[in-house]
Amino acid sequence: MVPLMLWGYALVAMIPLFVMVLGSLRPTQDLFNDPIGLPNKLYLSNYTRAWTEASFSTYVLNSVVVVTGAVILGAAVSVLAAYPLGRRKFTGRGFFIGYFISGMTLPGHFGVLPLFYLLDGLNLVDSRLGLMLVYAAGSVPFNVFVLSAFFRQLPGELDEAAALDGAGPFATFRHIMLPLVRPAIATVVVFQFVPLWNDFFYPLVLLRDESKLTIPVGLTHFFGRFQNDWGTLFAGLVMTTLPLVILFGIATRQIVAGLTAGMNR
């Protein structure tokens, strides 16, 4: 009964997505006459117009570069910080753990003014690199919190066995520990990618040049120019959503493994 209810909920939740995809394949005039209907034939001109005339290619490229770079950089820094916090005992360990957790207690938007002045002093305002660094730094506390917990759950015998085989600390981390926390890495990547992809605040504050805008801010320009062209609007929304669908499709198995890793312990 429960699986049936879940499938029913999933189908209901997917209805807006189906309407959006179908609308993107129909001329705007057909949408005015029959907003919810099947296309007579695939009308791909909406995608061409959104990609070229609406500068969607620029917005998508900027979002892919900024968000992907931020997620990779944030995950790399977080793994290196989480490993010693989860596997080693040293003086000040509790302080560093509390320091990273404190980064999750206050919204980063509260510090936007000093952040703006900092980036301005580094000539990183109106820069995709500056936005990427802001995103990467903001993702570190949550990533360290999650990854250190996964490192802590791994058996201590793994370190002893690696030492007996002659593996040093870096080799143990690279060849033994890192593959074992792959589900956790996939989890934090997805959990960070989605809000960064949809973030509107920081690009609005830090970017000025329209050629550097990411999708959320670019959509405001897009809606203003094509508010009466429903087919093009739907096509733009589909292109905005598609990367997230692809990401979830690729990482679903790793996400489930990461979320359920401690259930059988």
Side-chain angles (χ1 to χ4, degrees), residues 230-263:
W230 290 5
T232 305
L233 287 176
F234 280 133
L237 292 175
V238 170
M239 288 189 287
T240 302
T241 308
L242 187 59
L244 301 180
V245 175
I246 295 174
L247 178 65
F248 273 103
I250 294 174
T252 294
R253 181 175 297 181
Q254 296 292 335
I255 294 172
V256 173
L259 294 176
T260 59
M263 294 180 63

Side-chain angles (χ1 to χ4, degrees), residues 161-245:
L164 291 175
D165 289 338
F170 182 78
T172 302
F173 167 74
R174 169 66 180 85
H175 297 290
I176 298 176
M177 299 299 175
L178 200 57
L180 291 176
V181 296
R182 190 181 304 161
I185 295 175
T187 300
V188 298
V189 164
V190 174
F191 273 59
Q192 293 302 320
F193 191 96
V194 174
L196 295 184
W197 183 266
N198 295 322
D199 181 61
F200 179 83
F201 180 78
Y202 283 117
L204 179 66
V205 173
L206 300 178
L207 299 179
R208 297 290 182 270
D209 190 347
E210 187 172 358
S211 65
K212 299 176 182 178
L213 295 181
T214 55
I215 286 179
V217 179
L219 280 175
T220 60
H221 297 241
F222 177 61
F223 287 146
R225 291 176 56 189
F226 295 89
Q227 58 182 340
N228 295 322
D229 190 348
W230 290 5
T232 305
L233 287 176
F234 280 133
L237 292 175
V238 170
M239 288 189 287
T240 302
T241 308
L242 187 59
L244 301 180
V245 175

Side-chain angles (χ1 to χ4, degrees), residues 7-16:
W7 276 109
Y9 172 77
L11 291 175
V12 172
M14 292 290 288
I15 288 176

Side-chain angles (χ1 to χ4, degrees), residues 85 90-99:
L85 291 176
F90 55 89
T91 304
R93 177 186 177 212
F95 168 79
F96 285 108
I97 293 176
Y99 177 75

Side-chain angles (χ1 to χ4, degrees), residues 147-162:
L147 292 172
S148 61
F150 274 81
F151 278 120
R152 198 175 301 117
Q153 291 178 358
L154 298 178
E157 291 79 3
L158 292 174
D159 298 275
E160 299 173 3

